Amino acid sequence: MKRDKRDSRVVILGVCIVLIGVVFFLGFKSHEEVKRVVQEQYGEQQLMLARQAASAIAEFADERVTVIEILARERSGDTVENVTRSFKTIYTATGGFYSIEYINTSGVVVYGYPEERAPIGYNLYAENRSGMFDAARDTRETQICRPVPLFEGGLGTFIWVPLYKEDEFQGVILAIIKISTISDLFLVPLTENRTGEVYMIDGRGQLLYDGEAVVTGGVRGIVEEQKNGTEGTATYIDHTDKEHIVAYAPVRWRNQEWSVGITAPVSEVDLLIRSVYARQMIFMGAVIAIITGGSAGLILMFSRWNRTLEAEVKEKTRDLIRANEQLKELDKLKSDFVSMVSHELKTPLAAMKTAAQVLSVADAEDTKREMVSIILRNIERQTKLVTDLLDLSRIESGGMALKMERVSPGAVVADAVESVRHEAEEKGLTLKIELPESLPPVRGDREKLRQVVINLLDNAIKFTSRGVVCIKAREVNGDVEVRVSDTGMGIPEEEQNRVFDRFYQVGNPPQTGGTGLGLAICKGIIEAHGGRIWVESEPGRGSTFVFTVKKA
Amino acid sequence: MRLDDKDRAILELLQKNVSYDGIANRLGIERREVEERIGRLSDTRTKILIVDDEPDTLIPLKRALELEDYNVIEAHDGVEALEKVRDEIPDLMILDLMLPGLDGFEVCQRLKGDETTRSIPIIMLTAKSEVPDKVKGIELGADDYVTKPFDLAELRARIKAVLRRTAP
């Protein structure tokens, strides 16, 4: 058994490990996938940036060239002064030019703006730098050379625009755009707020801009690609063994073909993924926490509910059981009542019947007399029982008619005592009466009250073998209270509540005769008078039956 | 019937042909008691024990059975009934169920559970006529069950029937 348990534990553990392994494997696999996708997306985004930068640069440069070309066309017949007057306007209005110069037909710089940047008097022929000048003149087309170092340092691109009045060569406007102007405008901003670098090369692979000197060995291959004027993404590993991702896009304007490259360490992608993961984790954690908390709350709620429910069910069951017991008790009382009635009615009937049958065959006078007296006695008994039952039935149906009048309690007590005096004397009991002189009259039915007092006295005498039966009356809180006490056997506490029940007889089984209805009738009568009746008793020392009736 | 020492002494003296007065003298008892004891000892009638706490039920029944020439003895509660059965060993018992102290069912159960009294037939007599009471009475070994008020002729017939049925 134990072994089985351990085996199953091992199996469960194994399955768990395998499942965890699968989860990890899938996790890694999906991580690779995610990494690839994100890298792709990232590259795509970088490429977009590169394209934007490239097209912005191309547009910028092209625009500058166009402005100069328009100037050249518009002012082709004008004097040098008039042409050069526009230089300042163009320089300040468009921005981005390093300088704009006017070169006369003999290749000498005659004017330039800003003036301090213009090498006035510089003779191209003398310096043997007239190649582009000649080309512009000869082709009548704008000539743009690839970026070259300026005297003042840095790289610049030279734009040669020929001036023709009809077919007459007037000279060349030379506009210089510094590469640093372009990179400051379009490339430097790209590096702000991000890791990674930006660089630009010209068609020959010459570095035009290199933010952090990234173009080292690893990027060479990419530069070759860029020289072909293609766009795309690629990765390379730098000298510190870090992998970078590069997106590059060509800058095409006029005859120039440059290329912008944007690099970013691959670790940036990881960072991105990690931040996504972190967010996902936070979300999942929150969800799990909510679900767990919610479930726990629900479980707690349900279990509490369950507990309350259980308690309620228990309580209800208890109530039901109690009610059921009460019902059973009631049912038993009822069937006891019926069986008692039948017994009490049949017993004297049986006695009478047998006695009468004996009477009809007996010869002896003694026997005849005996039988007759038995018959008479039982008729008496039957009559009393029937009267009691009728009384009780009237009381219980609320149909007892009371003849209410002012009644002197003293008279009722005296009357009742007279009725039982003989009985008491026969048993050798002392009958004591304590009545105060000024006892107020009560409101009640004289006959019924007498019946109650007689009944109580009868009982007291019946249950007392020697000693005193005492009856007292007094006024208490606007009621008259009558107490009948004896020195009999008393009533156990648990039976005191039941002595007023129908057919209830003290002692189990009942110790004395009687119909068992007397006290029930007394209770009915007193309650019909609006009074109370109860018993005070100490077993072995006697009982006191007390009732109260309202003053008249 | 259980004999006490006086009964035995009387029987001995009778065998020696001592007169009633002589017996009374010898034993220091009254002649009336001697007669009573001899009458009891020589009574060969069928002996019926009636157990009922109500004298008004018991007496007419006793008189009626005496008229039928039965020897009738009486007990008024369960405990007295058990004593009487042991002392007198009646031929039949008429047992009321509603008795103070031991009730009729218990008396019946005890008698039927005792080897020496088992064979005494019992007719239960009660005002209770509910079927469960009858069943309980019969189950406890009662030989018949008569409900009050009963007809004397019927009771007489039942007594005879039970006696015939249980005769050894």
Side-chain angles (χ1 to χ4, degrees):
Chain A
M1 206 63 196
K2 222 170 195 175
R3 206 191 142 88
D4 281 0
K5 222 170 184 176
R6 193 179 303 157
D7 283 354
S8 65
R9 271 191 206 151
V10 167
V11 167
I12 289 171
L13 198 71
V15 169
C16 280
I17 289 171
V18 167
L19 281 178
I20 289 168
V22 167
V23 166
F24 269 93
F25 173 73
L26 290 176
F28 278 124
K29 217 181 144 195
S30 77
H31 173 74
E32 285 305 315
E33 185 80 356
V34 166
K35 195 172 166 182
R36 194 179 59 74
V37 170
V38 172
Q39 205 164 316
E40 223 173 81
Q41 289 296 315
Y42 193 78
E44 201 68 29
Q45 193 204 343
Q46 300 289 90
L47 183 59
M48 202 84 92
L49 270 177
R51 259 189 224 139
Q52 271 174 12
S55 71
I57 291 167
E59 205 171 305
F60 175 84
D62 196 54
E63 240 173 49
R64 300 293 169 286
V65 176
T66 307
V67 168
I68 303 297
E69 279 177 339
I70 289 169
L71 172 71
R73 208 169 298 154
E74 293 290 309
R75 297 289 168 94
S76 54
D78 246 334
T79 57
V80 173
E81 287 70 34
N82 283 343
V83 174
T84 53
R85 201 172 297 134
S86 305
F87 283 11
K88 187 186 175 183
T89 322
I90 289 171
Y91 180 87
T92 48
T94 57
F97 287 108
Y98 177 72
S99 71
I100 308 171
E101 293 161 20
Y102 189 101
I103 303 169
N104 67 11
T105 48
S106 26
V108 176
V109 176
V110 291
Y111 178 75
Y113 189 87
E115 280 162 24
E116 71 275 10
R117 290 184 185 163
I120 307 290
Y122 184 85
N123 190 326
L124 295 172
Y125 288 103
E127 299 294 330
N128 205 16
R129 294 198 173 194
S130 63
M132 295 306 282
F133 177 83
D134 293 341
R137 183 193 59 213
D138 298 346
T139 58
R140 298 189 177 194
E141 293 276 327
T142 304
Q143 296 295 320
I144 301 164
C145 72
R146 64 182 196 86
V148 291
L150 299 173
F151 295 129
E152 300 83 357
L155 290 169
T157 186
F158 287 65
I159 301 155
W160 308 81
V161 181
L163 274 165
Y164 271 91
K165 185 187 175 186
E166 308 290 308
D167 282 338
E168 188 187 337
F169 179 61
Q170 304 274 311
V172 166
I173 299 173
L174 168 63
I176 303 169
I177 296 173
K178 252 187 129 173
I179 297 301
S180 64
T181 308
I182 290 173
S183 59
D184 284 350
L185 273 173
F186 302 103
L187 300 181
V188 174
L190 288 181
T191 58
E192 279 165 10
N193 297 326
R194 69 184 283 279
T195 36
E197 291 311 327
V198 181
Y199 67 89
M200 186 160 69
I201 53 169
D202 68 8
R204 290 193 194 165
Q206 180 190 211
L207 210 43
L208 299 181
Y209 173 76
D210 189 358
E212 290 271 322
V214 290
V215 185
T216 49
V219 88
R220 278 286 153 217
I222 299 166
V223 169
E224 285 310 312
E225 283 292 313
Q226 285 177 273
K227 274 154 70 179
N228 295 335
T230 56
E231 65 167 30
T233 56
T235 56
Y236 76 93
I237 293 168
D238 70 7
H239 58 283
T240 57
D241 260 0
K242 263 161 86 183
E243 197 181 8
H244 296 264
I245 182 168
V246 181
Y248 52 92
V251 183
R252 291 202 183 89
W253 60 285
R254 303 294 165 128
N255 63 339
Q256 297 297 305
E257 206 161 79
W258 303 346
S259 185
V260 171
I262 297 179
T263 77
V266 170
S267 62
E268 191 72 357
V269 175
D270 285 338
L271 219 63
L272 201 71
I273 291 172
R274 233 170 278 144
S275 83
V276 169
Y277 278 164
R279 251 171 244 179
Q280 231 165 14
M281 285 298 176
I282 288 169
F283 173 73
M284 294 234 302
V287 166
I288 287 170
I290 286 168
I291 289 173
T292 319
S295 316
L298 273 180
I299 288 167
L300 206 70
M301 203 175 77
F302 274 121
S303 76
R304 200 169 285 174
W305 190 36
N306 213 14
R307 265 208 297 280
T308 354
L309 212 64
E310 257 170 34
E312 218 162 282
V313 166
K314 240 181 227 165
E315 197 181 321
K316 287 274 183 279
T317 310
R318 236 187 348 256
D319 286 354
L320 276 179
I321 289 171
R322 207 177 301 133
N324 198 24
E325 274 166 4
Q326 279 169 356
L327 272 180
K328 271 186 191 156
E329 182 79 2
L330 271 180
D331 192 53
K332 192 177 169 295
L333 275 179
K334 199 187 124 215
S335 81
D336 281 359
F337 180 72
V338 170
S339 111
M340 284 306 288
V341 168
S342 108
H343 181 264
E344 293 298 312
L345 285 172
K346 280 176 180 173
T347 301
L349 268 183
M352 283 187 271
K353 187 172 179 180
T354 316
Q357 282 175 336
V358 170
L359 188 61
S360 68
V361 295
D363 294 323
E365 282 304 313
D366 284 357
T367 309
K368 283 183 180 173
R369 264 199 301 280
E370 197 180 25
M371 291 307 113
V372 169
S373 78
I374 287 173
I375 291 170
L376 289 176
R377 200 159 54 231
N378 278 280
I379 288 174
E380 204 59 39
R381 180 176 168 185
Q382 190 85 311
T383 308
K384 169 141 176 49
L385 181 69
V386 170
T387 312
D388 279 2
L389 279 173
L390 288 177
D391 272 356
L392 197 66
S393 131
R394 267 199 288 274
I395 287 167
E396 289 188 347
S397 65
M400 185 174 56
L402 293 177
K403 228 165 62 196
M404 299 300 262
E405 55 186 332
R406 284 166 73 90
V407 179
S408 156
V412 169
V413 169
D415 209 3
V417 167
E418 275 323 301
S419 315
V420 300
R421 186 177 295 283
H422 178 68
E423 241 179 294
E425 279 168 359
E426 230 175 28
K427 282 189 84 173
L429 301 174
T430 312
L431 208 51
K432 234 167 74 182
I433 308 166
E434 287 177 23
L435 287 175
E437 275 179 19
S438 58
L439 204 57
V442 297
R443 210 179 136 62
D445 184 313
R446 189 188 308 272
E447 265 314 299
K448 297 278 191 275
L449 291 178
R450 199 172 70 98
Q451 189 184 343
V452 171
V453 178
I454 290 176
N455 210 316
L456 295 181
L457 285 170
D458 258 342
N459 276 348
I461 291 164
K462 200 190 308 177
F463 287 101
T464 309
S465 44
R466 63 166 188 272
V468 186
V469 169
C470 176
I471 181 161
K472 290 181 196 174
R474 58 173 180 155
E475 189 186 341
V476 178
N477 300 331
D479 289 339
V480 171
E481 183 191 88
V482 178
R483 308 174 70 91
V484 177
S485 23
D486 61 52
T487 54
M489 58 187 175
I491 303 164
E493 201 176 334
E494 63 273 15
E495 292 191 45
Q496 288 179 10
N497 283 329
R498 302 187 56 188
V499 291
F500 296 100
D501 291 350
R502 303 168 307 190
F503 289 120
Y504 190 81
Q505 299 195 353
V506 176
N508 186 30
Q511 299 287 314
T512 61
T515 60
L517 295 176
L519 284 174
I521 291 168
C522 288
K523 186 170 190 262
I525 291 172
I526 294 301
E527 283 176 356
H529 277 81
R532 292 200 309 126
I533 186 166
W534 69 93
V535 63
E536 298 164 359
S537 180
E538 204 178 311
R541 306 195 58 172
S543 316
T544 302
F545 281 82
V546 190
F547 71 85
T548 64
V549 189
K550 284 192 167 53
K551 272 198 306 188
Chain B
M1 197 192 309
R2 190 177 293 170
L3 303 179
D4 61 14
D5 292 343
K6 278 178 187 166
D7 290 335
R8 288 198 195 90
I10 288 171
L11 286 178
E12 255 174 57
L13 291 170
L14 276 178
Q15 280 174 355
K16 291 172 186 167
N17 282 328
V18 181
S19 72
Y20 285 12
D21 288 326
I23 294 170
N25 278 338
R26 289 246 192 125
L27 296 177
I29 52 173
E30 293 196 3
R31 183 191 155 91
R32 195 177 48 79
E33 194 185 334
V34 176
E35 278 174 3
E36 204 180 278
R37 283 182 183 261
I38 290 171
R40 187 160 53 81
L41 290 172
S42 59
D43 196 344
T44 54
R45 292 175 299 171
T46 303
K47 195 188 281 181
I48 296 179
L49 171 62
I50 306 176
V51 188
D52 202 317
D53 60 326
E54 299 266 359
D56 287 357
T57 308
L58 195 149
I59 290 165
L61 184 55
K62 182 178 179 183
R63 296 287 175 258
L65 294 180
E66 277 170 353
L67 285 175
E68 293 289 309
D69 207 23
Y70 287 112
N71 178 10
V72 182
I73 51 175
E74 51 189 85
H76 304 95
D77 60 51
V79 177
E80 192 187 350
L82 292 176
E83 279 170 6
K84 279 277 163 73
V85 167
R86 281 180 189 132
D87 287 350
E88 305 275 350
I89 313 185
D91 297 301
L92 182 136
M93 224 177 138
I94 295 174
L95 180 61
D96 184 31
L97 283 182
M98 297 271 280
L99 295 173
L102 287 181
D103 73 8
F105 288 125
E106 241 183 297
V107 171
C108 181
Q109 196 172 18
R110 290 199 186 188
L111 292 178
K112 291 297 177 184
D114 186 335
E115 198 61 52
T116 55
T117 54
R118 180 178 292 166
S119 58
I120 299 170
I122 295 176
I123 296 178
M124 283 189 167
L125 183 63
T126 180
K128 287 193 173 182
S129 55
E130 283 93 6
V131 172
D133 286 328
K134 286 188 187 177
V135 170
K136 189 175 173 191
I138 305 293
E139 271 179 356
L140 286 175
D143 298 86
D144 209 340
Y145 195 103
V146 176
T147 54
K148 295 180 191 175
F150 52 87
D151 192 85
L152 257 185
E154 186 194 340
L155 181 65
R156 281 199 294 260
R158 282 177 185 263
I159 289 170
K160 281 194 180 120
V162 169
L163 283 173
R164 209 170 33 244
R165 201 163 62 229
T166 57

